[in-house]
């Protein structure tokens, strides 16, 4: 898949393509339905298909003092979209200029002129242009005027679950509450963090649990606690995942006042500094807590690792998300 950022020229091979447009934070099952519709339209028309999205998240522009808990920052979003078969992803810079464009000017300049779209697919609740005045009906009208087709995908719900519509906001809240399995069902894959391994304070080595330290995006806010995780080298698709115990929290036992994602790879010895890793959150083991001594902490960490192995074995034996496209690709290490 080709990533086209900012206002870079769009290669000629993608002119006349089918484009799905939206924020797509999480690339959840509702988004996946929309992308599948774009793929189907592309097959019908004999054209390539791709995604048009925005960075940073529009909410970050309008409310800069309220960091957004991004489910899939741009690099991970691109991996997921590519895994679903998109040929390109156009990332439009969301700032004063884009926010100030009237709806018709946005469609004319970015969809009709720059990309020369043959067909646009969007969701029932997608609003765009200055003041978010552009609606799906506006897109249909402009498509008719400018010569491209438009498909509007209606609300998608979980027919096998609580029948609630899929929502990035609801998934964020589920993760804040530690409801990892519920988030996975709505996403259609296990929620994942993509990040570079950086040096920490080396404290884990002193107690026999050296960890990978990964910096999360500002605003990341999952439940503070210990998780069963699978970890993959992002540059080595298809290679088996490591089993791990992941920690997200403020390390109250050491009173550092800083928030971390730390992952202990069970049975692994070696260095992974500078590598980009994918950390898949499989199940919550327990909440974060303070320990009265290092010995008590180490004892609990041993118990956590044993529990993580048990939870990971159970998911490997029967993983419900492998019934969904991204869940299946994730299990195969192809994301």
């Amino acid at each position: 898949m080709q990533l086209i950022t900012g206002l870079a020229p769009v290669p000629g091979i993608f002119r006349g393509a089918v484009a799905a447009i939206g924020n797509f934070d999480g690339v959840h099952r509702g988004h996946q339905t929309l992308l599948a519709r774009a793929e189907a339209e592309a097959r019908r028309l004999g054209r390539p298909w791709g995604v048009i999205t925005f960075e940073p998240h529009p909410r970050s522009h309008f409310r800069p003092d309220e960091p957004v808990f991004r489910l899939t920052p741009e690099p991970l979003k691109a991996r997921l979209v590519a895994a679903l078969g998109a040929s390109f992803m156009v990332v439009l810079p969301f700032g004063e200029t884009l926010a100030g464009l009237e709806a018709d000017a946005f469609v004319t300049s970015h969809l009709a002129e720059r990309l020369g779209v043959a067909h646009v697919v969007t969701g029932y609740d997608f609003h765009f242009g200055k003041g978010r005045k552009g609606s799906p009906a506006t897109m249909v009208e402009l498509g008719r005027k400018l010569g491209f087709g438009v498909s509007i995908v209606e609300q998608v719900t979980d027919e096998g679950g609580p029948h609630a519509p899929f929502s990035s906001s609801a998934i964020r809240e589920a993760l804040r509450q530690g409801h990892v399995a519920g988030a996975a069902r709505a996403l259609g894959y296990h929620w994942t963090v993509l990040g570079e391994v950086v040096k920490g304070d080396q404290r884990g080595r002193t107690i026999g649990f050296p960890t990978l330290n990964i910096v999360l995006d500002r605003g990341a806010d999952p439940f503070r606690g210990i998780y069963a995780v699978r970890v993959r080298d992002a540059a080595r698709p298809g290679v088996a995942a490591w089993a791990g115990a992941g920690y997200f929290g403020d390390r109250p036992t050491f009173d550092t006042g800083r928030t971390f994602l730390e992952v202990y790879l069970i049975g692994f010895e070696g260095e992974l500094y500078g590598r980009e890793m994918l950390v898949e959150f499989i199940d919550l083991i327990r909440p974060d807590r303070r320990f009265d001594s290092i010995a008590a902490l180490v004892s609990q960490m041993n118990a956590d690792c044993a529990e993580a192995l048990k939870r990971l074995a159970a998911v490997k034996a029967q993983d419900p998300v492998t019934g969904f496209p991204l869940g299946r690709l994730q299990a195969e290490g192809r994301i």
Side-chain angles (χ1 to χ4, degrees):
M1 184 187 79
Q2 187 159 346
L3 186 63
I4 305 162
T5 58
L7 300 178
V10 175
I13 58 171
F14 300 134
R15 286 193 61 80
V18 174
I21 184 168
N23 288 319
F24 301 119
D25 187 35
V27 196
H28 58 57
R29 287 170 58 197
H31 297 148
Q32 291 169 47
T33 298
L34 194 151
L35 298 181
R37 179 66 178 272
E39 183 180 34
E41 289 295 334
R43 282 199 306 270
R44 181 179 68 82
L45 296 171
R47 307 290 180 92
W49 74 276
V51 164
I52 300 174
T53 190
F54 309 93
E55 290 291 342
H57 193 287
R59 194 185 307 169
S60 297
H61 170 74
F62 292 113
R63 289 183 267 173
D65 296 330
E66 300 177 22
V68 180
F69 178 6
R70 296 290 303 276
L71 298 171
T72 50
E74 181 190 324
L76 182 57
K77 184 194 299 185
R79 290 181 78 97
L80 297 173
V81 167
L84 289 169
S87 297
F88 63 89
M89 187 168 95
V90 175
V91 181
L92 298 178
F94 199 93
E96 290 292 341
T97 300
L98 196 62
L101 270 183
E102 297 291 347
D104 58 347
F106 168 76
V107 171
T108 299
S109 60
H110 289 285
L111 304 187
E113 295 178 356
R114 186 178 177 211
L115 196 56
V117 291
H119 199 94
V120 169
V121 180
T122 191
Y124 71 99
D125 58 349
F126 178 68
H127 288 80
F128 58 96
K130 186 176 180 179
R132 302 182 76 244
K133 294 177 182 176
S135 67
T138 308
M139 187 70 78
V140 171
E141 180 183 346
L142 289 170
R144 191 178 299 117
K145 176 182 174 182
L146 296 169
F148 59 84
V150 177
S151 295
I152 306 300
V153 175
E154 295 303 323
Q155 189 178 77
V156 182
T157 61
D158 186 0
E159 296 180 359
H163 304 287
F166 296 112
S167 156
S168 299
S169 296
I171 295 168
R172 292 185 194 105
E173 188 56 31
L175 291 170
R176 288 189 183 103
Q177 299 298 322
H179 299 157
V180 182
R185 181 175 181 85
L187 288 166
Y189 62 94
H190 298 288
W191 182 60
T192 300
V193 165
L194 171 64
E196 181 182 340
V197 179
V198 299
K199 281 201 173 184
D201 57 18
Q202 312 287 295
R203 197 186 301 269
R205 294 176 183 276
T206 67
I207 60 174
F209 289 90
T211 59
L212 309 184
N213 295 275
I214 296 174
V215 179
L216 299 184
D217 274 26
R218 182 171 173 257
D221 192 27
F223 184 80
R224 268 65 170 162
I226 304 294
Y227 295 84
V229 299
R230 291 190 306 223
V231 183
R232 302 179 191 275
D233 187 329
R236 302 178 67 196
V239 175
W242 289 291
Y247 168 73
F248 180 79
D250 307 315
R251 301 201 294 190
T253 300
F254 298 109
D255 196 24
T256 63
R258 298 169 62 196
T259 303
F260 294 85
L261 172 60
E262 299 180 76
V263 181
Y264 174 65
L265 300 184
I266 301 169
F268 174 81
E269 294 182 6
E271 300 287 356
L272 293 168
Y273 294 125
R275 300 274 193 92
E276 273 206 319
M277 310 300 287
L278 291 153
V279 182
E280 303 165 8
F281 284 62
I282 305 301
D283 203 3
L284 175 67
I285 295 174
R286 64 171 176 86
D288 198 4
R289 55 171 286 208
R290 182 181 181 87
F291 292 87
D292 294 332
S293 68
I294 300 302
L297 171 63
V298 169
S299 176
Q300 182 62 58
M301 290 174 73
N302 280 311
D304 292 338
C305 289
E307 185 62 25
L309 289 174
K310 185 188 301 183
R311 305 276 183 98
L312 292 170
V315 167
K316 186 176 182 180
Q318 186 174 8
D319 188 349
V321 302
T322 56
F324 308 117
L326 284 177
R328 182 175 64 257
L329 292 169
Q330 185 181 59
E332 295 170 355
R334 294 166 58 194
I335 292 176

